Amino acid sequence: MMRFHYHSHCYQPLRREAVSGLFLLLFPVLWRCLFTPFAHASPSTFSEWNVPKPRHLSLLGSALERESSNGEQSDLWAPLADQGWRPFIESANVLSLPQKSEGYLQVFLDGGLNQQRMGICDAVAVAKILNAALVIPHLEVNPVWQDSSSFMDIFDVDHFINVLKDDVSIVKELPDEFSWSTREYYATATRATRIKRAPVHASVNWYLEYVLPVLQSNGIAAISPFSHRLSFDNMPSEIQKLRCKVNFKALVFVPHIRALGDAIVHRLRYPPGESEAVSSNYLWATTDQYEKQKPHKFVVVHLRFDKDMAAHSACDFGGGKAEKLALAKYRQTIWGGRVLNSQFTDEELRSQGRCPLTPEEIGLLLAALGFDNSTRLYLASHKVYGGEARISTLRELFPLMENKKSLASSEERVHINGKASLLAAVDYYVGVHSDIFVSASPGNMHNALVGHRTFENKKTIRPNMALLGQLFLNKNITWSEFRQAVAEGHQNRLGQLRLRKPKQSLYTYPAPDCMCRA
């Protein structure tokens, strides 16, 4: 008994010490969870506990063993052949501006950068239809990215006004007599000057019937929300060409965005030696060495693999039960029961091409198309869901992968850090100037760059989502079979011009509205 009591008394302090030690180890995790409600749990937290593993090991192993080739000589890098179309954005019926406008038009644009870009183009067109003076559009704060950047923070406003001065009257701000017309004013009550229920893809006649009288009665009209509020069909030719002129000529980024974009493009084409560090004056330190160096070609890959997209797609991305739970919670919190994709199985979604490609899958696509491990890749994306763990497979396939952080110094990035719209603007600029652009899934960035690069006859790979979804579902497919299927399924998806069909966006399909046959 004495021995029993002796050990029992010794055991109590030891157990308390063990529990205390365990508590100290777990304290950082418990502390973070204490202030993170489960309904809003960060998916990145779950991803750290459940590191996503490669899902296509057999294909990945073969892709990693693929032989390097002289990528610069590959047909993949060859520019697009002349397709017989040229940019044409000037209307044949150029009318001088009336001396007096009907009033001032305000628009409040939601969405991300590229959705707002399309809204700006439509706003100019609506101002033309109404003979209104357009106030520089107000960009709403995106609820996902929380970026409050204004039009003037992103776009060169003086260039915008000057290019369009013969088409539409544009003012930077309202005169004092209308200074009351603010976003806050319209948020507090129903106002006679606000058009709240503009239909999606409204016609010219709708604006003349419902908005013009408001302008004439009040001298001002505000449309909010304003996104996809002008039809692409049954539009006068001069209105279509004006939208094209805004998109491809009037909207240019502010000088510091263009300078940073130029620096990144230059560093991709003329990479510094291994001993050289990226510095803020690298671009301007052009020497004979760079002039004699043959420029490298590069591919811009837009992943579009963020938390918001992953949750909305309702697909399985291989992060296990914890990831599924985190995405389901996020989906319910943000959209309630309005995500229709969640009614389908992962297999159904993938076979229909409705699942965004993961970084691993976009890497396998590029490898199957013939890009080798000497290919220079620029990664255009905001925050990748799963972080570096999710990107690691793509980096393994393409070790020469770069991004804004690796190519620009912290001093150069100081004006864009933490600002999603400015970060996206840099990626857009680099994407326009790349040899090849490919997006992991359709979206506003994809659509805008496909249209811009079509306008300039540049090569763009459009992934065949339905084909790839079915191929990735086939766990028995060999690398040879995969390569052949990918090659055959993308023969006509490398930037070949496609004419716009009814209801399609001219910002994605600029021919024939913005172009003419040579």
Side-chain angles (χ1 to χ4, degrees), residues 55-56 58-59 361 470-478:
R55 306 190 73 191
H56 312 287
S58 177
L59 293 176
E361 289 166 346
Q470 293 163 20
L471 293 177
F472 286 128
L473 283 172
N474 183 356
K475 300 304 179 184
N476 297 317
I477 193 170
T478 65

Side-chain angles (χ1 to χ4, degrees), residues 82-156:
D82 189 334
Q83 300 184 72
W85 288 80
R86 299 289 184 272
F88 185 72
I89 56 177
E90 297 297 340
S91 174
N93 303 316
V94 179
L95 302 175
S96 59
L97 279 175
Q99 290 186 348
K100 182 173 173 35
S101 73
E102 298 289 351
Y104 293 95
L105 177 68
Q106 284 180 295
V107 295
F108 297 83
L109 304 177
D110 51 14
L113 172 68
N114 293 293
Q115 184 173 322
Q116 291 171 338
R117 181 189 187 99
M118 297 170 195
I120 293 166
C121 299
D122 287 349
V124 172
V126 170
K128 181 72 172 180
I129 291 168
L130 298 172
N131 181 31
L134 177 67
V135 184
I136 290 295
H138 174 87
L139 308 185
E140 297 279 17
V141 176
N142 187 289
V144 175
W145 306 122
Q146 293 296 314
D147 186 353
S148 59
S149 297
S150 69
F151 184 105
M152 297 182 189
D153 292 329
I154 304 169
F155 300 106
D156 188 328

Side-chain angles (χ1 to χ4, degrees), residues 103-219:
Y104 293 95
L105 177 68
Q106 284 180 295
V107 295
F108 297 83
L109 304 177
D110 51 14
L113 172 68
N114 293 293
Q115 184 173 322
Q116 291 171 338
R117 181 189 187 99
M118 297 170 195
I120 293 166
C121 299
D122 287 349
V124 172
V126 170
K128 181 72 172 180
I129 291 168
L130 298 172
N131 181 31
L134 177 67
V135 184
I136 290 295
H138 174 87
L139 308 185
E140 297 279 17
V141 176
N142 187 289
V144 175
W145 306 122
Q146 293 296 314
D147 186 353
S148 59
S149 297
S150 69
F151 184 105
M152 297 182 189
D153 292 329
I154 304 169
F155 300 106
D156 188 328
V157 67
D158 292 325
H159 176 86
F160 179 74
I161 293 173
N162 184 59
V163 168
L164 299 171
K165 66 180 186 299
D166 296 326
D167 301 286
V168 178
S169 175
I170 301 174
V171 297
K172 294 181 180 179
E173 56 186 26
L174 287 166
D176 291 342
E177 62 183 297
F178 293 111
S179 60
W180 48 265
S181 184
T182 63
R183 183 185 182 280
E184 292 71 26
Y185 173 76
Y186 293 109
T188 55
T190 301
R191 309 294 185 181
T193 52
R194 178 187 175 186
I195 292 85
K196 185 177 181 180
R197 304 194 183 280
V200 174
H201 303 312
S203 66
V204 168
N205 288 338
W206 186 89
Y207 281 98
L208 294 175
E209 183 175 353
Y210 293 100
V211 183
L212 184 57
V214 176
L215 271 175
Q216 293 171 332
S217 298
N218 302 281

